Amino acid sequence: MHFSFSVMASEQQLSAIKGSKVLMVGAGGIGCELLKTLALSGFPDIHIIDMDTIEVSNLNRQFLFRQSHVGQSKAKVARDAVLKFRPDINITPYHANVKDPDFNTARRHVNRLCLAAGVPLVESGTTGFLGQVTVHVKGRTECYECQPKPAPKTYPVCTITSTPSKFVHCVVWAKDLLFAKLFGDRNQENDLNVHSKDGSSSSKQAEDVFERQKEENIEQYGKRIYDHVFGYNIELALSNEETWRNRNKPRPIYVKDVFSSELASQNGNLDKSSNGDPPSLSAMASLGLKNPQDLWTLKENSKVFLEALKLFFSKREKEIGNLSFDKDDQLAVEFVTAAANIRASSFGIPLHSLFEAKGIAGNIVHAVATTNAVIAGLIVIEAIKVLQHDIKNYRMTYCLEHPSRKMLLMPVEPFEPNKSCYVCSETPLDLEINTHCSKLRDVVDKIVKAKLGMNFPLIMHGSALLYEVGDDLEEDEVANYAANLEKVLSELPSPVTGGTILTVEDLQQELKCSINIKHREEFDEEKEPDGMILSGWTQPRAAEKNGKTAVDSEVSTSSASEAVPLETEDDDDLQIIPTITGKKRKLSDISNETKNKRKAEELDSKNDVVMLDDENSDMSKKKREQ
């Protein structure tokens, strides 16, 4: 016997639901719960889009999936599972990419499409016990981009390379510097010291110690790398006595210090780990280590380090030079864990298990199925309000880990659109730039695409078209616009100088904004590395105290200038920005003029709703209390 929403719903609610069409973006943790709740609530026409396939790690909470579904499309399997108990509804799956693997970019894209189409957006996210549901309706509530989103947590390079004080610093060093240097693109800039202590001559000094010598076998190479990064580089750091005046000195660690003379060339048993596809190779299996939650000793970490390096060069040699860290790559996680622990041991930092290190390296916050279910229910509640045009009762609702005012669910009245939002309010932006040095390509790559998130930009100066992309362009037009990209702004056919107003438009997103150009001669290379400053867009907010990066309990911040980011992947943090000071204007306080304008923008009879959800997403939302 299945639950029937019709028992509790009013006729008005049922009528709104029956005439609706829903697009659900994401069929993961929240998506499974949401699809089930939508189906049981009587929604007759549901479309699901998700580019992901099912992984084993999804099965503990994404209940529509089973072991036999691993590797299959999430959207298609979710549809089939729900139709078994609700065969009378229409569910259309799309195994497709809504925009980009970076889901935060996808959110901006969906937000803009909803604004262009006048379709309400119900957006949500969870991280562990935390979650939120937000309603975005064009002209009535703020859009997804009305408020700034925190940047991923970053760490200064000097801390990572020279003075780590936390285990996360060691993980970032092992993942973004050492792993990248050994297995990634070696031509890419890297802050690891590559010169050995034997480089007495200028020619030897120029040699890269990470290059494997012709006469070296894998074991010899591994030990040499070990001695260089954990021994010689630490000695080199100790030579700067000023650095350690008020810090505990690290100790250099060499292979001979960890292993007795009986260490043979065989570190592990290669045969034990050689079965299966490359990502299934395991140094732990080769060494007989079974429990990922065990704390390895320095000796065990050293064995894992050497064995993992040996496996990469013997079993995955073709991938060397093109690898990047992947938290689902067992061998990569083992290598990074071992390297981070050896470095932590050198600096007197407590060691961590592989399970803990993987969570840090992948920036994983472990999901809670109950939170997903609660959030899915709140999404449907808000969707029904939207379908009934019940704007007075719209709520942004936050799911808290600990009670606040004796409540675990905190509803907050939505906020009106931000008048300075260039996306939904079309507020002009200001761009400070040296128009005599910067090229149009710089503006397109660093501003229009990177900051404004436009996919198919069109740039105009008055009636002059400076740049356009599209499949329908003639060959001479493509060549002309390509030539413009390489021209300095002031030398374009229609020169761009101080006081120029550029119109930038993305026809796909139906987004248009104006950029006021302000000529500026010089920029600080460290603080302003782009050589230009854009004002008026919702850039990430950095919280600082006493000149140092501060981290609130739920706020991700970025440090200044040169830094190494702890990147977020599939399982990102939900960040809640503290209350923004200033007088809050409720929707009920909006002027009559604004109300009259909104009347002309009433939702049409199609009753379309887009539901954007992502478990463990990088969705920065404001926790603002009434």
Side-chain angles (χ1 to χ4, degrees), residues 178-190:
L178 184 59
F179 185 91
K181 185 65 180 176
L182 283 169
F183 311 118
D185 183 0
R186 293 197 175 170
N187 295 322
Q188 192 171 351
E189 288 187 17
N190 195 299

Side-chain angles (χ1 to χ4, degrees), residues 46 137 170-171 183 198 243 263 345 415 422 519 554 578 592:
I46 305 169
V137 180
C170 300
V171 170
F183 311 118
D198 299 324
T243 302
L263 178 67
S345 180
F415 290 78
Y422 73 94
H519 176 76
E554 301 303 335
N592 290 328

Side-chain angles (χ1 to χ4, degrees), residues 31 121 130 146 149 157 164 181 191 217 239 247 257 260 272 291 315 337-338 345 524 531 552 581 585 620:
L121 171 66
L130 302 173
C146 273
K149 311 293 183 287
V157 168
K181 185 65 180 176
D191 288 279
N217 62 35
S239 64
R247 292 186 177 95
D257 301 327
S260 57
K272 288 184 181 179
N291 189 349
K315 299 295 184 180
T337 299
S345 180
D524 187 311
D552 280 341
T581 57
R585 288 177 59 195
S620 337

Side-chain angles (χ1 to χ4, degrees), residues 228-277:
H228 177 78
V229 297
F230 302 118
Y232 171 66
N233 278 356
I234 300 299
E235 285 188 6
L236 197 64
L238 286 170
S239 64
N240 186 352
E241 295 182 2
E242 185 67 27
T243 302
W244 311 106
R245 181 166 294 179
N246 298 314
R247 292 186 177 95
N248 293 326
K249 293 183 178 181
R251 67 182 178 97
I253 301 175
Y254 291 92
V255 169
K256 62 181 175 61
D257 301 327
V258 179
F259 300 104
S260 57
S261 57
E262 88 267 356
L263 178 67
S265 62
Q266 304 175 31
N267 186 37
N269 186 344
L270 218 58
D271 293 334
K272 288 184 181 179
S273 56
S274 59
N275 298 322
D277 297 327

